[in-house]
Amino acid sequence: MNNIKNLLSIALVALLFASLTSCDSGDGTKNAKDALSSFLNENDNVVAFGNAQLKDILNKADYANIPKAGKLLGSEMSSLEKMIDFDTPVYYALEGPFEKGEGPASTYGFLQLKDNEAFVDELTKRGFDVVKKGDIQFTEDGDFALGFIEDIAIFVISNRDEDSEKMIADAFKKIKGEMSGGKVDEILDQEGDMILGMNVASLYNTSNTDLSKLSKVKQEELKEMVEDSYVQTVFKFEDGAGIIETKNFFSKTLESKMFFNSDNSAPLLAKLGSGTPRLGISINLDMKKMQSFMDDYSPETMDNLAKSMGPMVQGALMFSGKDGLASLFNGQLGAVMVGDVGDGEGMIPDFNAFVGMTKKGQDLASMMGEMDLGFGEFKTDKDGLSLRSGSDTKMNGASKGLNLPLGAENFGKSGVSFFVNLDGVDLDEFELEGGSNVLKVVKYITFDYDENGGRLYIKAKKGQENVLKQAMDVLIDEFASEISKMSI
């Protein structure tokens, strides 16, 4: 397959699943960002969209110094940069539905061209048959098609059996219309190495899920609720850290349905005993709002959840009334691992856990009695269920509290929070394989999420080197190691 096709498709598809001015050019054509904005305004099937700073990402990964492949990639990029403006982002749009194992129905890419004639010459030299269809210069190869007018190129990779020439022509018609404005343009204006916007309404409209089993009234409610609702995700690859930030641009109605509780006092921490945790997860939810949302729009979730929690809880839920799970649990749940793998009995690390319960839930728990699990201590009280599995974390006496590691200072404050500290852990003992070896560059990971959005922060061990280069170095070493084991 042609090198240009490979580079463009890999750059958009692999990196995803892995700034331009706002004015029009003098001849009436739009730049790539504005073209995408207009395309989105005319296409209700686009579920995800955004941009990737392809050149910056490759440079941060130090691709030019990859053994053997670096020279090839460097030569290819140098050639393409004469024709394509990689100082600006590559913009993309993904149409639904997303079929299992096949990805999006169609992937569109929008490129800013520097030299139209040089682009035609290069395509022809590489074996592409470029023909002119009206104002559009067009070429295709299998499921890949490319069209361009003046300084804008649009390509499409489709999983559907459609006329690719017509798809390109329709795309150019769409970019001539009004731009989206509002939340869409706000997302496209964000700064980061990669931007991903998800259109919640389009995701709902193109999905083949159990939502179709809802009553017509509920389906209409849900459709109105997700209208003009988006989730923005920004990827940043920095020296010493990788950051993924999400922000919810929800309608007022959808926003009111969110059931995440945030509390800066982190009350759950007092329920999780003592020790210096290596890993932790905490959840704080408004159970009544969550139960109401599931009852209205995802009743099968409740049935599946009840089955997974065992016959005792399943039986209790039969008599719980309209509150369902909210009649048993108060929404607080947390667990911390306070030992390393191999420190506890039977190689199970020591941990502390807590499940908050209502009065009815406590009555159910009291039926279990004070249980001896053989590897720790289980106890019920007025707040819920507690479990301690280490000899130095007994529940009798005053608790010293948790000594949270560096980076985990916000643990327990958000609706959902998580951390794992890998500092000092010898990952060679875990016999990691393939891409999992990237964990060797990680010092710690934290995650926090509430009704407004979330943040995943990956702290690398080397603070003065880009996290992508650190990850690439590990992958190259792993690849070289595997090659050396192969018999020739």
Side-chain angles (χ1 to χ4, degrees):
M1 186 177 293
N2 250 288
N3 286 332
I4 285 184
K5 177 184 175 182
N6 278 335
L7 186 59
L8 294 178
S9 59
I10 289 172
L12 280 163
V13 180
L15 280 175
L16 289 176
F17 290 105
S19 69
L20 296 172
T21 59
S22 61
C23 60
D24 292 347
S25 61
D27 59 5
T29 61
K30 293 179 176 176
N31 59 45
K33 185 185 75 173
D34 293 346
L36 173 58
S37 178
S38 295
F39 180 80
L40 296 174
N41 196 36
E42 299 285 336
N43 192 337
D44 293 333
N45 292 323
V46 173
V47 172
F49 60 91
N51 67 62
Q53 296 277 7
L54 179 59
K55 183 178 177 180
D56 287 350
I57 291 172
L58 290 173
N59 286 335
K60 288 180 177 183
D62 196 23
Y63 78 98
N65 290 316
I66 297 174
K68 298 184 184 294
K71 288 186 178 180
L72 179 62
L73 284 171
S75 175
E76 191 72 19
M77 279 298 293
S78 295
S79 176
L80 290 174
E81 278 193 285
K82 295 175 182 177
M83 301 164 285
I84 301 173
D85 186 1
F86 284 121
D87 288 329
T88 60
V90 176
Y91 290 85
Y92 66 87
L94 310 179
E95 285 185 338
F98 283 67
E99 299 294 343
K100 188 175 181 180
E102 296 184 5
S106 299
T107 299
Y108 287 86
F110 299 78
L111 303 171
Q112 197 80 32
L113 297 182
K114 288 181 177 179
D115 190 328
N116 187 298
E117 291 185 8
F119 194 48
V120 174
D121 291 342
E122 187 67 19
L123 288 170
T124 304
K125 185 170 67 176
R126 298 189 182 212
F128 284 94
D129 184 19
V130 180
V131 296
K132 194 159 186 178
K133 304 284 186 176
D135 294 333
I136 304 171
Q137 297 192 78
F138 175 84
T139 187
E140 62 180 325
D141 182 9
D143 58 1
F144 173 86
L146 170 70
F148 48 100
I149 298 177
E150 297 297 336
D151 56 355
I152 292 290
I154 301 176
F155 69 86
V156 61
I157 304 169
S158 180
N159 288 324
R160 297 180 294 196
D161 185 19
E162 291 193 23
D163 184 340
S164 56
E165 182 182 328
K166 183 177 184 301
M167 293 178 73
I168 291 291
D170 286 345
F172 273 103
K173 286 180 182 178
K174 288 181 172 65
I175 72 171
K176 293 179 181 178
E178 293 292 323
M179 293 192 296
S180 296
K183 298 172 183 177
V184 169
D185 283 5
E186 185 174 347
I187 292 172
L188 292 177
D189 284 336
Q190 294 302 307
E191 294 186 359
D193 291 302
M194 206 159 73
I195 308 298
L196 171 66
M198 186 182 73
N199 186 327
V200 182
S202 295
L203 180 64
Y204 164 68
N205 291 331
T206 62
S207 295
N208 274 330
T209 66
D210 288 335
L211 293 174
S212 60
K213 297 178 183 179
L214 295 174
S215 69
K216 295 294 184 183
V217 172
K218 288 299 179 185
Q219 288 188 48
E220 191 60 34
E221 282 182 11
L222 190 56
K223 184 177 180 180
E224 292 179 6
M225 186 190 308
V226 299
E227 189 67 30
D228 197 32
S229 294
Y230 300 85
V231 178
Q232 167 192 291
T233 305
V234 178
F235 299 78
K236 300 176 182 177
F237 306 112
E238 301 179 350
D239 288 350
I243 304 168
I244 302 175
E245 296 175 323
T246 66
K247 182 178 179 181
N248 297 331
F249 292 87
F250 288 167
S251 68
K252 291 296 184 182
T253 306
L254 182 56
E255 192 176 290
S256 70
K257 297 288 185 179
M258 292 296 97
F259 41 77
F260 300 97
N261 285 332
S262 298
D263 190 335
N264 284 331
S265 67
L268 187 62
L269 297 189
K271 311 291 186 183
L272 293 176
S274 304
T276 301
R278 175 71 71 180
L279 176 152
I281 183 169
S282 77
I283 297 173
N284 189 3
L285 306 176
D286 185 322
M287 291 300 294
K288 289 188 176 181
K289 287 182 73 173
M290 187 184 80
Q291 183 68 54
S292 175
F293 190 88
M294 288 193 302
D295 288 343
D296 285 343
Y297 307 111
S298 187
E300 72 284 350
T301 300
M302 188 65 205
D303 295 335
N304 295 334
L305 202 57
K307 291 176 183 177
S308 68
M309 299 179 76
M312 185 173 290
V313 173
Q314 199 171 354
L317 287 173
M318 292 177 62
F319 304 98
S320 63
K322 64 180 179 64
D323 286 337
L325 285 173
S327 70
L328 304 177
F329 305 104
N330 67 12
Q332 289 192 348
L333 171 68
V336 290
M337 189 178 82
V338 291
D340 289 324
V341 175
D343 290 348
E345 297 182 26
M347 299 298 289
I348 299 175
D350 294 335
F351 63 91
N352 306 336
F354 173 79
V355 181
M357 308 194 83
T358 65
K359 178 63 171 64
K360 183 180 288 188
Q362 292 162 23
D363 292 340
L364 175 65
S366 66
M367 296 169 57
M368 302 167 65
E370 301 297 324
M371 297 179 61
D372 180 6
L373 302 179
F375 58 87
E377 189 177 1
F378 172 91
K379 187 176 181 180
T380 64
D381 59 23
K382 63 181 181 63
D383 296 317
L385 299 172
S386 296
L387 175 63
R388 311 282 186 269
S389 71
S391 59
D392 60 341
T393 57
K394 293 294 184 181
M395 287 180 244
N396 297 326
S399 171
K400 298 177 183 178
L402 292 174
N403 179 28
L404 293 174
L406 180 68
E409 295 83 5
N410 290 324
F411 179 64
K413 297 179 181 180
S414 302
V416 178
S417 59
F418 166 85
F419 73 87
V420 58
N421 188 334
L422 299 177
D423 194 25
V425 176
D426 185 2
L427 292 175
D428 288 333
E429 295 181 359
F430 293 86
E431 299 182 355
L432 300 175
E433 296 182 356
S436 299
N437 280 281
V438 171
L439 287 174
K440 292 179 179 178
V441 311
V442 176
K443 186 173 183 178
Y444 64 78
I445 301 172
T446 62
F447 174 74
D448 297 281
Y449 189 88
D450 60 23
E451 65 277 6
N452 298 311
R455 185 175 190 260
L456 176 70
Y457 185 84
I458 304 171
K459 179 66 175 176
K461 291 178 179 177
K462 297 179 183 178
Q464 302 304 315
E465 191 172 63
N466 194 275
V467 65
L468 281 182
K469 174 172 169 45
Q470 295 182 52
M472 185 62 70
D473 287 346
V474 170
L475 292 175
I476 290 171
D477 288 345
E478 173 66 15
F479 180 70
S481 175
E482 291 299 317
I483 290 294
S484 68
K485 296 175 184 177
M486 296 174 63
S487 59
I488 300 177

